[in-house]
Amino acid sequence: MTTEPATNPARRPLSLGARLDCVLDFTATEPEAACCADIGCDHGRLICAMLERWTQRTGIAADISAPSLEKAKALSLRRGLSDRLVTRVGDGLQVLAPGEAGIVIICGMGGELIARLLAACETPLMGARLAVLQPMRGTEELNAWLFENGYVTERCRVVEDAGRLYEVLAVRPPQEGKRLVFPADRPEGFFGICPFAERDALFFQLVARQLAQTEKRLATAAGTPGEAVLKTKREALLKLKGEA
């Protein structure tokens, strides 16, 4: 079943901002997916916006917070989407049955937490064909986990929203038996393969910000075990900055 984006001219679309708009755009890379699960959905604006755009899809809104899910449920009622959205209280992807969702979305969490949620699945992505991930911090750690566990980062975009830069990743499940050594001493070790290959203007802004943060941390890291790691990262970032 192919799902086509659709809009309702009688209703103004939900406003998401650049960060979540990018997440929504990335769900289009799996057009055959009939069901999308938003893990950690909070108030449900993203999953409701997705259902309004792709009118043949159904959605699962999951959160560890029951009050948040009540907000998502109320929003779906106001938008006329309650017949296509189910809500589930639970931790991570454990709320899903294997193969139930074709797409899973995990946004607004730390990268290390996202990696732990993915690692806890009984099958990769609980059988989904695509995961759209948006870490608030710890992107480096998430990229390392994805890389070392064989996941394929299909797309990555740097977006600016309210003065902050965010990375949004579209990730495919691992290929069986594929385990790689993460290139921690090379620039792609800090940003993943895709943004390194596709580097655009915002990517270089991200490099500059990460370099400034690394320099700041180095100023207080002298003599600590982390000093060598920070110096390696600084050299890689300086090399990238020179390519801008």
Side-chain angles (χ1 to χ4, degrees):
M1 177 183 69
T2 301
T3 57
E4 296 294 338
T7 57
N8 182 350
R11 173 175 290 164
R12 180 175 295 183
L14 286 165
S15 176
L16 297 177
R19 176 176 65 94
L20 295 183
D21 272 337
C22 181
V23 172
L24 193 62
D25 288 345
F26 275 15
T27 69
T29 62
E30 189 56 45
E32 299 297 322
C35 179
C36 179
D38 186 358
I39 306 300
C41 68
D42 194 23
H43 41 55
R45 292 181 68 83
L46 175 62
I47 191 69
C48 286
M50 192 274 301
L51 292 176
E52 287 184 345
R53 185 177 294 190
W54 282 277
T55 57
Q56 296 181 59
R57 280 183 182 167
T58 60
I60 301 169
D63 203 284
I64 200 168
S65 165
S68 290
L69 281 178
E70 286 302 316
K71 294 178 184 178
K73 188 181 297 185
L75 179 61
S76 72
L77 283 168
R78 291 197 303 271
R79 306 293 292 189
L81 301 167
S82 58
D83 60 330
R84 294 166 51 214
L85 181 70
V86 297
T87 58
R88 294 176 187 169
V89 177
D91 189 15
L93 285 78
Q94 306 304 315
V95 299
L96 303 176
E100 184 177 19
I103 301 171
V104 294
I105 296 170
I106 311 178
C107 298
M109 304 180 194
E112 291 176 295
L113 175 56
I114 293 174
R116 288 200 299 271
L117 295 181
L118 296 179
C121 295
E122 59 184 81
T123 58
L125 304 183
M126 292 302 289
R129 296 185 294 275
L130 177 75
V132 183
L133 312 175
Q134 185 276 298
M136 300 298 284
R137 57 192 173 278
T139 305
E140 188 176 325
E141 289 79 8
L142 176 59
N143 276 324
W145 187 90
L146 293 169
F147 198 96
E148 290 168 356
N149 286 276
Y151 285 77
V152 179
T153 303
E154 187 173 73
R155 297 178 66 190
C156 181
R157 186 184 303 163
V158 181
V159 296
E160 185 171 13
D161 195 333
R164 287 190 59 181
L165 295 176
Y166 301 93
E167 292 172 81
V168 182
L169 297 80
V171 175
R172 296 288 180 181
Q175 300 175 16
E176 188 173 351
K178 184 178 181 182
R179 294 293 183 270
L180 302 174
V181 177
F182 193 60
D185 60 339
R186 301 205 303 272
E188 58 266 41
F190 304 113
F191 298 102
I193 301 301
C194 286
F196 176 73
E198 300 169 3
R199 42 197 191 277
D200 57 15
L202 283 179
F203 173 78
F204 284 111
Q205 286 186 36
L206 183 62
V207 168
R209 292 189 188 188
Q210 290 238 1
L211 180 57
Q213 292 170 3
T214 302
E215 296 280 12
K216 185 176 180 180
R217 292 174 63 191
L218 264 171
T220 59
T224 68
E227 182 181 16
V229 175
L230 288 170
K231 285 183 175 180
T232 298
K233 182 173 183 178
R234 180 178 63 183
E235 292 305 311
L237 292 169
L238 284 168
K239 181 180 177 182
L240 267 181
K241 186 179 179 183
E243 297 179 13

